[in-house]
Amino acid sequence: MDNAKTTLKRSLKTRDLVIYGLVFMIPVGPIAVYNTLVTPSSGKVLLCYFIGMMAMLFTGLSYRKMAAKYPYAGSAYAYIQKGANAFLGFMGGWAILLDYFLLPATVLIIGSSFAGYLLPTVPKYGWVLFFILFSTVTNVIGVNVMAKLNWVLFALQIAVLILFVTFAARLILSGAIQWRLSAFYDPQKVHWAGIFQATGIVVLSYLGFDAIGTLAEEAVDPKRTIGKAMVISIFIIGFIFIVTTFFAGLVYPNYHQLSTDGGFLKIIQFVGGNQLVTLTVITVVLSFAVATCQASQAAVARILYAMGRDGVLPKKLAYLHPRFKTPIVSLILVGIVVTPIAMISSLNYISLMVSFGALVSFLLLNGTVIWQLFIKEKHLRTMNDIIQHLLFPLIGIFINAWILINLQVTAHIVGVGWLILGVMYVSVLTKGFRKPIPQFELG
């Protein structure tokens, strides 16, 4: 039975989309990846999150424009396809799929690792299987189910961060640690190649704003709510990341001691003791392995749904559950692909490969805004149009390109190989580009 014409269920409001994006981006994220970032950035993790936020903010403004024009599931894939052309749209969607498949695996690795602190007798593969099964079932039932739980998990993350900042501020006020702006920037200790290398990993922390766009066909009034939620979520999560890492740099300036297992938990223990460490570990497990695993699986499944509906990927991926109206085939496929990756990969290894696909997609999206809204629509030439449709996308292109260039060689090899595979696939699909690339007809 072909139910590709069946529509997804609309139930998400702006606040739900913002929370979904924030949960996807994980407010307590720096706690888990601080070790990975602190050495290449020479301890200036805050600077990485700031640069990442600026790159995503200008890109998010481009997303907002395209989301209002093309309010359909698929996010960057749909925007580039309709705003530029079908081939670039496919490549943008194909590129970001790489990171979307790596993200659920990444959060499963982190969540399972922290779960090991609580129950060390349970093997890693046991945690991975449990979390991916839970995620798949809740996603099949529907995003509205997790939307309610996301509010609780978001509140728990914020509570932990407030406790951390409060305890750190108490140490500052008591004179136990000194207030130093060098925790943010020290020209004598900043190595920009390392900063941008670490920022490449940080970019994945902001991917949740793109994930909001994948829910366009489950959102109420998507032309207004999707773009608004994207920009709001970038501002909020950027502020949270910057404040968290600023206090971490103040409290523990000798970052060389954090290059072993434990990382940010050493900082947590220093400011709040073992009880805060336990609460933090529980929060990280719930945030990564439950909330973000579910959110990232939902996001990549909806990109597969959109590409399957178009016919550029197998049509079965667009099949919706007759009762829950969710892309069940795509959800199960994501679970099958992600599980072995999470079981056999380490965080250090997988972090070398992240962000390439997202950055390529962001470059194409920013270029699409210039092409569609500035060049093609020539009748619009106000100063506001020049700023929003030319200047802002150009800034986004520049920052994203610079981060992309400075990624690890491993990321470039894997990323370019993935793009070549995509070109080969679409070449076969179109019989050597003699047939047009299938597209979903906007209705």
Side-chain angles (χ1 to χ4, degrees):
M1 177 180 177
D2 180 11
N3 77 335
K5 295 295 184 182
T6 305
T7 58
L8 296 162
K9 181 181 178 181
R10 293 193 184 276
S11 60
L12 304 178
K13 300 178 181 179
T14 301
R15 62 177 180 270
D16 297 314
L17 295 167
V18 170
I19 294 299
Y20 172 84
L22 292 175
V23 169
F24 195 112
M25 293 185 275
I26 321 176
V28 295
I31 294 174
V33 299
Y34 198 81
N35 276 14
T36 308
L37 305 173
V38 72
T39 299
S41 68
S42 301
K44 303 300 180 286
V45 178
L46 182 156
L47 192 56
C48 300
Y49 278 106
F50 177 76
I51 295 172
M53 184 185 73
M54 297 309 297
M56 296 306 101
L57 178 59
F58 285 106
T59 301
L61 292 173
S62 292
Y63 266 78
R64 184 173 186 175
K65 292 294 181 181
M66 300 307 288
K69 196 171 185 67
Y70 306 113
Y72 296 89
S75 198
Y77 161 69
Y79 306 153
I80 299 167
Q81 180 198 78
K82 300 305 177 186
N85 61 59
F87 175 72
L88 291 179
F90 172 83
M91 293 308 298
W94 181 266
I96 207 166
L97 270 179
L98 174 63
D99 287 355
Y100 269 122
F101 272 118
L102 291 175
L103 182 58
T106 303
V107 298
L108 281 171
I109 292 169
I110 293 172
S112 299
S113 174
F114 275 80
Y117 283 100
L118 302 175
L119 292 173
T121 57
V122 178
K124 176 184 175 181
Y125 69 84
W127 287 116
V128 170
L129 287 173
F130 171 76
F131 291 133
I132 196 64
L133 284 172
F134 177 82
S135 174
T136 302
V137 171
T138 54
N139 269 317
V140 169
I141 294 173
V143 292
N144 201 38
V145 175
M146 279 302 296
K148 296 179 175 63
L149 182 58
N150 282 346
W151 281 92
V152 177
L153 295 176
F154 176 72
L156 180 60
Q157 292 184 69
I158 296 302
V160 167
L161 294 178
I162 288 175
L163 287 172
F164 167 69
V165 171
T166 300
F167 288 139
R170 184 183 63 181
L171 292 176
I172 294 172
L173 294 175
S174 68
I177 57 177
Q178 296 181 341
W179 181 275
R180 299 174 298 102
L181 286 178
S182 59
F184 174 69
Y185 180 71
D186 185 348
Q188 295 181 341
K189 296 182 179 180
V190 170
H191 304 287
W192 286 107
I195 291 289
F196 279 101
Q197 176 188 321
T199 303
I201 300 173
V202 162
V203 166
L204 202 64
S205 299
Y206 288 97
L207 198 56
F209 87 89
D210 174 86
I212 292 173
T214 67
L215 298 179
E217 293 177 40
E218 290 154 279
V220 178
D221 189 13
K223 288 189 175 183
R224 183 183 62 86
T225 57
I226 292 294
K228 181 179 180 181
M230 286 179 173
V231 175
I232 291 174
S233 64
I234 292 171
F235 270 117
I236 294 176
I237 201 68
F239 174 78
I240 292 172
F241 287 157
I242 288 170
V243 170
T244 302
T245 51
F246 178 69
F247 277 98
L250 284 177
V251 169
Y252 223 98
N254 191 0
Y255 64 89
H256 296 289
Q257 297 180 3
L258 299 174
S259 58
T260 58
D261 289 340
F264 207 104
L265 292 181
K266 289 184 179 180
I267 303 176
I268 296 287
Q269 186 175 44
F270 180 74
V271 301
N274 290 330
Q275 289 183 328
L276 185 57
V277 170
T278 301
L279 177 61
T280 300
V281 169
I282 294 172
T283 303
V284 168
V285 171
L286 292 175
S287 302
F288 278 84
V290 177
T292 306
C293 180
Q294 183 272 340
S296 57
Q297 184 185 23
V300 67
R302 277 148 182 81
I303 295 177
L304 292 173
Y305 161 81
M307 298 179 81
R309 180 180 60 186
D310 290 1
V312 295
L313 290 179
K315 287 281 188 180
K316 285 290 185 181
L317 294 173
Y319 179 80
L320 298 180
H321 190 283
R323 177 183 174 187
F324 300 115
K325 302 296 185 292
T326 50
I328 183 171
V329 175
S330 291
L331 287 167
I332 292 174
L333 175 63
V334 175
I336 292 172
V337 172
V338 163
T339 300
I341 296 176
M343 286 184 175
I344 64 177
S345 299
S346 67
L347 180 59
N348 287 336
Y349 177 75
I350 205 168
S351 66
L352 297 176
M353 299 185 289
V354 300
S355 298
F356 181 94
L359 290 167
V360 169
S361 188
F362 295 160
L363 289 172
L364 291 172
L365 189 281
N366 279 301
T368 298
V369 170
I370 296 173
W371 170 253
Q372 175 68 32
L373 301 181
F374 187 77
I375 296 176
K376 289 184 68 175
E377 298 182 4
K378 297 179 180 179
H379 59 285
L380 299 176
R381 281 294 183 271
T382 64
M383 181 57 66
N384 181 62
D385 175 61
I386 293 173
I387 292 174
Q388 294 195 49
H389 301 157
L390 180 62
L391 180 60
F392 284 174
L394 282 175
I395 295 175
I397 288 173
F398 175 79
I399 301 177
N400 282 298
W402 194 250
I403 298 172
L404 179 64
I405 292 170
N406 284 277
L407 291 181
Q408 289 269 16
V409 174
T410 303
H412 289 145
I413 294 173
V414 173
V416 171
W418 178 254
L419 293 180
I420 292 172
L421 184 63
V423 173
M424 292 170 62
Y425 172 80
V426 78
S427 176
V428 172
L429 180 70
T430 59
K431 299 186 183 304
F433 298 100
R434 290 190 295 270
K435 294 173 57 180
I437 297 175
Q439 296 187 59
F440 175 63
E441 295 300 325
L442 305 182

